[in-house]
Amino acid sequence: MSIVDVATSPTQNPLSDPAPWWRQAAVYQIYPRSFADSNGDGLGDLPGITSKADYLHELGIDAVWLSPFYPSALADGGYDVADYRDVDPRLGTLTDFNAMLHALHTRGIRVVVDIVPNHTSDQHTWFQEALASERGSAARARYIFREGSGPDGALPPTDWVAAFGGSSWEQVPDGQWYLHSFAIEQPDLNWANPEVRDDFLTTLRFWSDRGVDGFRIDVAHMLTKDLTEPLPSQAQLDALPRDGMHPMVDRDDVHEIYAEWRQVFNSYDPPRTAVAEAWVDKARVPLYASPQGLGQAFNFDLLEADFDAGQFETVVRDNLTLAELSGSSSTWVLSNHDVVRHATRYGLPQPGRDETGRPVRKHGVDWVISGGVSPVLDRPAGERRASAATLFMLGLPGSSYLYQGEELGLHEVAEIPAADRQDPTFFRSAGTDLGRDGCRVPLPWETGSDAGSAFGFGTGGSHLPQPGWFSDYTVAGQALDPASSLELYRSALSLRRMLQTDEQLEWIPTGRSEVLRYRRPNGWEIVTNFGTEPYQVDRDDVLLASRALDAGTLPGEATVWFGDLAAN
Ligand code: NOJ
């Protein structure tokens, strides 16, 4: 691995840059309960994030996105929010939030928080009120309550299946049923109710007033629903086109909500940003990403692609076209808190694909032998390919979203005993799907782990067990090691900040189907060899490479960046 020596400290606080920062930002996702634990209770917290502000600064990211840190019963890792305008006491206080925001802002790092509008927690005061109120009441009208079907309404209103498995309906003591598209503890809100709409405007203002820079919108495509009776069956829902009129997902009328949110965002200086998590047909992504709406939308296409030149090229071409249509910039993601880490995905035999082209493997279920990591996982290959894919991604125009721990080359943790698992996916699938805990294990900061010290995560253990092999992936063990994944990320992010200018990309033919090469207008050039045969390159102004070049030859499964810093 060859790394040029580049300064990691920006000379100027980028917060003072008037250009829309989000268009080409490197955004680092923090899963707060698993990042750093300041008080030894085994759960990461906001003061823990503050204590790592220098680490984040030296990493060279432009923004952090915090997964939910709100009060929550943790039925879905915090995506079951009990109070949208407070901090979970186990994670800190609003004062801690302010301190964290200040520590990050003074280091030039912006802060994006997660908004979960499709559902609340069943512990939310609104839902508790709904349970205590009678059918037909205003309290129930904030959610989606229906009578059951069958004799005495003893069966759910429909056969709809929730995202985590099982019925989408749960019965309450007086016999009514409520809709939950995700876990039972996540009742869906009724977005036809103006009170719900107003309350979220208040939440957006609450965090914007506090100084947060943007919002990540959870399942942004599911808020509005057409629940006109008779309700369709699951099979009918599945068969309906997703053309904006589907009763449950990606309805055109959801954009009325985001237009209203946009007015709130734009009433701040600088305007607050938002990025939609919207699993919708490609052609409809620009609706979410438009400047009149949320402004940017995730695409998870790289994350779903194999380590394959053809797939990567198609993903980039498609998404740059879509970004142009919306006037937004594209987003790129290789890992997040919902999927098997990319170092591990790429170290496994490539998965089969279903008829829609999606990988059949979900959450790594087919690669884990009970009690241990699959023997077919090739760790070095996974890490090599992950580094190559990351450098490929970081060269692209648009925003790159990084997930905590990927800078360490961290693998998925497969060997979590059933008794320690937390993800509802695991329980609702009766363990046939291992779920997402394996990418949410607390980070290893220090080498050498005394009992309870949890590799420097905190002094009180770790809420998900860390495996012994984490000692090979610690921050302390990698810092200043030029051959480490961490130093590769630091160098890449530092260079990227200097080079990420115009949002254009030009493909350069390589004569080899497994090699991709693209150039940015300032001469920055990225070459990725997805194959295993070395590839001869014709430039020698190497800025960075995931594997060292040998006499002008790029080894297999590697990416090199060329460019002239002096010209930028
Ligand atoms: C998407 C989030 O990324 C995921 O973690 C969560 O379980 C669902 N939305 C439900 O909120």
Side-chain angles (χ1 to χ4, degrees), residues 191 197 201 223-224 253-262:
W191 276 86
R197 295 196 181 210
L201 296 179
L223 276 46
T224 54
D253 53 13
V254 78
H255 298 292
E256 292 162 20
I257 295 170
Y258 299 135
E260 218 178 343
W261 289 18
R262 176 48 56 193

Side-chain angles (χ1 to χ4, degrees), residues 183-245:
I184 293 171
E185 300 87 348
Q186 291 169 301
D188 281 32
L189 284 164
N190 173 14
W191 276 86
N193 184 333
E195 200 186 347
V196 170
R197 295 196 181 210
D198 284 352
D199 195 68
F200 273 86
L201 296 179
T202 306
T203 295
L204 296 174
R205 288 196 193 97
F206 178 87
W207 294 108
S208 298
D209 288 345
R210 242 158 230 280
V212 310
D213 302 280
F215 301 93
R216 177 261 188 194
I217 312 305
D218 191 66
V219 289
H221 58 300
M222 288 180 60
L223 276 46
T224 54
K225 295 164 180 111
D226 176 4
L227 296 167
T228 314
E229 308 273 351
L231 295 175
S233 67
Q234 184 68 53
Q236 286 169 326
L237 280 183
D238 292 345
L240 285 169
R242 296 191 167 205
D243 57 358
M245 298 305 286

Side-chain angles (χ1 to χ4, degrees), residues 76 79 116 119 164 182 186 216 218-219 277 337-338 436 440:
D76 180 21
Y79 284 87
V116 189
H119 42 263
F164 297 141
F182 292 87
Q186 291 169 301
R216 177 261 188 194
D218 191 66
V219 289
E277 187 218 19
H337 66 298
D338 286 333
R436 304 161 295 177
R440 300 174 178 183

Side-chain angles (χ1 to χ4, degrees), residues 2 28 31 33 40 64 75 104 107 161 168 174 210 236 256 266 293 296 326 433 437 451 478 501 527 533:
S2 87
Y28 181 86
Y31 191 74
R33 288 173 182 81
V64 296
L104 295 174
R107 288 167 179 78
V161 179
S168 297
D174 69 11
R210 242 158 230 280
Q236 286 169 326
E256 292 162 20
N266 288 354
Q296 203 180 36
S326 67
D433 187 332
D437 294 320
Q478 295 192 36
T501 51
V527 186
E533 290 302 310

Side-chain angles (χ1 to χ4, degrees), residues 318-369:
D318 287 355
N319 285 289
L320 290 181
T321 306
L322 285 173
E324 242 174 77
L325 286 175
S326 67
S328 183
S329 60
S330 194
T331 56
W332 311 107
V333 190
L334 288 167
S335 278
N336 66 26
H337 66 298
D338 286 333
V339 296
V340 173
R341 287 182 176 278
H342 67 287
T344 303
R345 292 200 312 269
Y346 295 151
L348 295 167
Q350 299 296 282
R353 297 190 161 259
D354 68 15
E355 64 286 356
T356 69
R358 286 193 155 190
V360 174
R361 168 175 14 90
K362 207 183 157 206
H363 304 322
V365 71
D366 65 350
W367 59 272
V368 177
I369 306 295

